Amino acid sequence: MIRFRLSVLLIIINYIAIAQPCQHIDGAFDTTACIPIPVAEEGFLYFNNCIDDSILFVAKGYYPENFSNYTQHDSLSTFHWDFGDGITATTLVPFVKHKYNLSKGYDMHVIIKDSINCSSIPVLGRVRISGNPITGVSNPAPGCIHDTVYLVASKLSVYQPFNYTQVSSQRYDSTTFIPDGQNTCPPYHYVTDVVFTSFLPSQTITQASDILSVCANMEHGYMGDISMKLICPNGQEAMLKGQGTGGSKYMGQPACWFSGCSLNDVRSCDNTEFKCDATKNPPGIGWNYCWSQFYPTVGQVGNQATIGTNQIDSTHIAAGTGYFDPSSSFTNLVGCPLNGLWTIDITDHAGADNGYIFEWTLNLDPALLPVNWGYQVNSNSPWCEGPDIVGYMGDTAIVVPSTVGSQDYVIKLLDEYDCLWDTTITLVINPLPAVNLPTEIDFCPGESAVLQSSEPCVDCSYNWNTGDKTPSITVSNQGEYILEVLDPNECSNTDTTNVVVHPTPPAIQIKHN
């Protein structure tokens, strides 16, 4: 069986007598005003965005009981934002901007509180931040100046859809001091609160067996004067322990059996200086005490046999034994939303004792538990941008380099969240080998000439239109001679010379008179 362990983020709230009861608040996102506009999928709103781009979250409150006891309006409310990345904010207006700097998923929420601090159920949102789909690049083969180079972006880059799985979990740790109660150490109520936000927005407790158990790791020196109850987000509650049960028995291993009196301390228990100061009342050792209507129970806490003196035995969670019956049934919690503020409320009704609660857990039916969620961001085909591009064929850039040296080109890719990603490649442009033949050579029949370039070329290959492959050739016939020189960088250059063979002049007859 799976146990979903949710420890407590502790908030100690002073007891405030509220003259009027809370009026209901329904919260929602103003989807048309949010930037980007969220996408509704499977009951959640998803905000799809790019890394380091701001999201404008806009909320709005609905107040169905407005004016019943007091006035409610967004202008009178505060908005408490938890962005899911460890950052929170409180605003007096129903909107806020936030930027995420990691490519991942986030569970965020906002709670609306009205003028008397009554809260809405958390309004949930999921944020999906796109990640770089380009995982690798390779530089193209070097080119030659003035030659045509084809840069195929899809072959020069490695890219794939960005995938991420968000783990839905919440864990909060804290320690709460429970000093003397009424007329001794106000406030009278000590609560440990936790906000759950990972469930489906509409999930509720539908039956008592949905709650497998509620556990508290705690110690207390005199348990007869404390009461404990579990309160769900809409205010429904179930009593775990009533006042009076357990009498003088004690829970866990208290360090202070009475206010200001440790086991080895003889100070007066009437010394108020020590009664309410947590620094002078060190914590003892907490034991686990669990309430359940699912596991076998031993009755209500404090009514069973004790160990040795008056120490109440703890619950053996691993073995599933020693669970206690709640004072009121968990059916009192049917209809409670799972998301929202869950509270254990502890009231110490008398003086001369104290204790600590270290953490508490709410263990739910595995069928109710939040599940991980994930997403995939697909991309379009990449393209290339840079100097000397004369045209495109699909994702191929046609480049005719005009300068020698290294040229940077940017491969860009647009994903389905309209996030633009890029990476840089370098194209090396080599010069052409120098070839310099004379423009024209002329000579008479029977004579010959040697043709060769006046520019030396190391490790080059030569191709004449005569079929010769030597640096120089000897010619005796008239015509056009073309030399192609290919250097080690595979760059080639040509030059042409024209050979003219002048005809022999006709013989002139000499006559003697």
Side-chain angles (χ1 to χ4, degrees):
M1 177 169 53
I2 302 173
R3 289 184 67 245
F4 185 43
R5 181 179 177 83
L6 294 172
S7 300
V8 178
L9 172 64
L10 179 65
I11 307 171
I12 299 180
I13 301 178
N14 288 335
Y15 176 80
I16 301 176
I18 300 176
Q20 62 269 43
C22 285
Q23 295 175 170
H24 191 67
I25 306 172
D26 288 322
F29 285 109
D30 188 346
T31 56
T32 58
C34 294
I35 303 176
I37 295 176
V39 178
E41 295 178 11
E42 299 178 349
F44 283 94
L45 287 177
Y46 290 87
F47 295 83
N48 301 329
N49 209 36
C50 310
I51 192 169
D52 290 329
D53 281 355
S54 293
I55 297 178
L56 175 63
F57 297 105
V58 183
K60 56 184 175 181
Y62 298 93
Y63 307 95
E65 299 172 344
N66 193 17
F67 304 122
S68 296
N69 299 296
Y70 57 96
T71 302
Q72 293 173 301
H73 191 270
D74 280 351
S75 63
L76 302 174
S77 298
T78 55
F79 297 82
H80 302 261
W81 309 87
D82 186 326
F83 301 110
D85 59 354
I87 298 175
T88 60
T90 299
T91 62
L92 300 177
V93 291
F95 56 85
V96 69
K97 280 188 175 182
H98 188 67
K99 183 183 296 184
Y100 293 89
N101 57 16
L102 290 177
S103 296
K104 55 171 293 192
Y106 299 88
D107 292 290
M108 62 83 57
H109 69 270
V110 57
I111 295 174
I112 303 173
K113 294 186 178 181
D114 63 20
S115 58
I116 66 168
N117 213 36
C118 297
S119 300
S120 71
I121 301 298
V123 182
L124 308 181
R126 287 179 172 179
V127 177
R128 299 186 289 206
I129 301 299
S130 179
N132 194 345
I134 302 174
T135 59
V137 292
S138 58
N139 290 321
C144 305
I145 185 127
H146 305 313
D147 283 358
T148 300
V149 178
Y150 298 94
L151 301 180
V152 185
S154 60
K155 292 184 178 179
L156 296 173
S157 60
V158 180
Y159 60 97
Q160 59 187 10
F162 175 77
N163 290 275
Y164 185 81
T165 299
Q166 169 71 352
V167 177
S168 291
S169 64
Q170 300 178 91
R171 179 173 178 82
Y172 306 92
D173 296 296
S174 63
T175 299
T176 307
F177 173 53
I178 310 171
D180 285 338
Q182 295 180 4
N183 303 317
T184 308
C185 297
Y188 311 133
H189 293 269
Y190 301 88
V191 297
T192 59
D193 296 338
V194 63
V195 176
F196 300 155
T197 59
S198 292
F199 299 96
L200 292 173
S202 59
Q203 271 187 285
T204 63
I205 298 293
T206 60
Q207 53 191 353
S209 59
D210 286 348
I211 300 175
L212 302 185
S213 67
V214 178
C215 296
N217 186 276
M218 62 181 296
E219 55 93 344
H220 199 274
Y222 182 90
M223 63 177 296
D225 63 352
I226 63 170
S227 62
M228 303 174 62
K229 60 184 175 181
L230 177 66
I231 307 171
C232 81
N234 65 2
Q236 294 173 230
E237 59 185 51
M239 186 67 70
L240 301 177
K241 178 194 178 298
Q243 179 186 4
T245 59
S248 61
K249 298 173 183 178
Y250 58 95
M251 306 170 75
Q253 299 180 38
C256 293
W257 298 75
F258 303 101
S259 294
C261 300
S262 67
L263 294 175
N264 299 312
D265 198 336
V266 295
R267 290 181 301 216
S268 169
C269 295
D270 294 327
N271 191 337
T272 307
E273 175 187 353
F274 298 102
K275 292 187 178 197
C276 308
D277 188 345
T279 63
K280 295 180 174 63
N281 290 265
I285 299 174
W287 286 10
N288 291 319
Y289 296 92
C290 299
W291 292 264
S292 176
Q293 292 179 259
F294 178 83
Y295 298 105
T297 60
V298 293
Q300 293 189 13
V301 63
N303 292 341
Q304 59 286 120
T306 57
I307 300 175
T309 57
N310 284 328
Q311 189 176 33
I312 298 295
D313 196 4
S314 66
T315 302
H316 196 311
I317 295 176
T321 60
Y323 285 80
F324 303 101
D325 290 317
S327 296
S328 61
S329 173
F330 288 157
T331 55
N332 291 355
L333 302 177
V334 171
C336 287
L338 289 175
N339 287 318
L341 188 74
W342 285 80
T343 302
I344 279 190
D345 182 302
I346 302 174
T347 302
D348 193 321
H349 297 272
D353 66 286
N354 57 42
Y356 278 83
I357 180 169
F358 300 98
E359 67 175 24
W360 67 277
T361 61
L362 177 64
N363 305 305
L364 300 175
D365 185 328
L368 300 176
L369 302 186
V371 297
N372 297 343
W373 58 273
Y375 60 101
Q376 176 175 291
V377 186
N378 297 310
S379 303
N380 298 321
S381 297
W383 70 92
C384 191
E385 294 181 0
D388 299 323
I389 295 177
V390 299
Y392 290 91
M393 293 188 304
D395 69 340
T396 301
I398 304 171
V399 180
V400 180
S402 60
T403 58
V404 172
S406 297
Q407 298 280 10
D408 285 340
Y409 290 82
V410 179
I411 293 179
K412 295 185 176 182
L413 186 150
L414 190 68
D415 67 25
E416 63 178 305
Y417 291 176
D418 288 330
C419 303
L420 184 64
W421 305 94
D422 61 65
T423 188
T424 300
I425 60 173
T426 301
L427 173 63
V428 176
I429 305 301
N430 293 311
L432 302 182
V435 184
N436 189 10
L437 293 176
T439 304
E440 184 176 283
I441 294 178
D442 55 354
F443 51 81
C444 297
E447 295 180 343
S448 62
V450 176
L451 297 180
Q452 66 179 19
S453 173
S454 63
E455 301 289 340
C457 185
V458 180
D459 295 328
C460 291
S461 59
Y462 302 86
N463 292 290
W464 295 87
N465 61 339
T466 61
D468 294 295
K469 299 186 178 300
T470 55
S472 63
I473 60 174
T474 301
V475 297
S476 57
N477 296 321
Q478 180 172 295
E480 185 179 66
Y481 292 86
I482 302 172
L483 171 62
E484 179 190 33
V485 179
L486 183 69
D487 68 13
N489 294 322
E490 299 297 321
C491 295
S492 67
N493 199 3
T494 61
D495 200 6
T496 301
T497 189
N498 190 39
V499 174
V500 178
V501 178
H502 296 285
T504 302
I508 298 176
Q509 184 178 11
I510 300 176
K511 294 182 181 181
H512 296 276
N513 194 359

